Amino acid sequence: MSGLAASATDPSQGYDGFIGWVLSLMETLGEVGVGAAVLIETFVPPIPSEAVLPAAGFLAYDGRMNAWLAILAATLGAVVGAWLWWYIGRLLGRERTRAIVDRIPLMDGSDFDKAETFFARWGRTAVLVGRCVPLVRSFISIPAGIERMPFWSFTLYTAIGSGVWNAIWVGLGYAFGPAIEPVLEQWSGILSDAVLVVIGLLVLWFVVVRLRSRYRARHGPQEPERRHQRPR
C-alpha cells in the first residue's frame, strides 16, 4: 500500500489541509483517541461519531491502526459515557436530570423528552436500538437509569448496540479505503476546504435552530397584534 510507506515518516504525508490534520491527529492518539471521541460525543452530541469512525477504518486499511481495537475502543467509550448518564438518571431522578440536560450548551429538554418517549415505547430494547439513533443514543441512558434498569442488562444492551454501530462505520471506512485513498491523495486540499464549509454550515444551522427553540420556549409564540375595532 502506498499510504503505508508514506506513513512511516509522516502520518499526514500525501494528505493536505484539514483532512491531513485529522488523520494525523487520530493516528497520534491511536485507538484510545477513537474511544475518547465517542465518549465526548455522549456529552456533546453535535460531534458525530459517524465522522470519526470511518476515518479510523480508513487508517486501519492504510495500516496505521488496528480495526478491531478501534471498534473495541469506540464501544468502550460509548459504554463509559452511557454509564455516566445512567448513574445521573438513577441518582437525581427525572426532574433534576432534565434540568441538567437543559443547561448543557445547545441542548434542551426536548432532547431528554425524545429519549424518554423512545424508552417508554420500546422499553429495554430502546437501549439496544437507540444506539443507532442520533441524539437519542446520547440520552437514552437517562430514562434507563431513572427506571432503574438493571446495571448489567443495561451494560450488555449498550455494548451490543454500540458495538454493531461502531463496526458498521469502521467497516465502511475500511472497505472503501481503496477508493478513498487515491481521491484523498489528489484532492485532499479541495476536499478539506469543502468539509470545513459543510461543518461550519451544519454547526451554524444547529446553533440557530437551538437558539430559536430556546427563545420560543422562554417568550412563547409570537402572535401578531390584533387591534379590535369598536363596533360603530
Side-chain angles (χ1 to χ4, degrees), residues 50 54 67 146 152 160 185 221:
E50 293 90 333
I146 294 173
W152 291 113
I160 294 174
E185 289 179 348

Side-chain angles (χ1 to χ4, degrees), residues 186-197:
Q186 185 172 1
W187 303 103
S188 58
I190 296 176
L191 289 175
S192 294
D193 295 337
V195 168
L196 287 174
V197 170

Side-chain angles (χ1 to χ4, degrees), residues 64-98:
R64 308 181 189 185
M65 186 177 291
N66 185 292
W68 293 109
L69 289 180
I71 294 171
L72 178 62
T75 303
L76 181 60
V79 169
V80 172
W83 281 346
L84 295 175
W85 278 125
W86 184 88
Y87 274 114
I88 290 174
R90 182 183 177 92
L91 294 175
L92 300 183
R94 184 186 187 280
E95 297 304 323
R96 285 187 290 179
T97 305
R98 192 183 191 281

Side-chain angles (χ1 to χ4, degrees), residues 22 26 44 73 77 101 135 160-161 198 200 212:
V22 169
M26 286 195 62
V44 192
V101 173
L135 287 181
I160 294 174
V198 171
R212 289 182 61 186

Side-chain angles (χ1 to χ4, degrees), residues 223-232:
E223 296 182 357
E225 296 183 359
R226 296 179 181 177
R227 295 184 179 180
H228 299 281
Q229 297 180 353
R230 295 179 180 177
R232 297 178 182 177

Side-chain angles (χ1 to χ4, degrees), residues 157-177:
Y157 279 47
T158 299
I160 294 174
S162 300
V164 171
W165 182 252
N166 297 333
I168 289 173
W169 286 100
V170 172
L172 286 173
Y174 189 96
F176 285 95

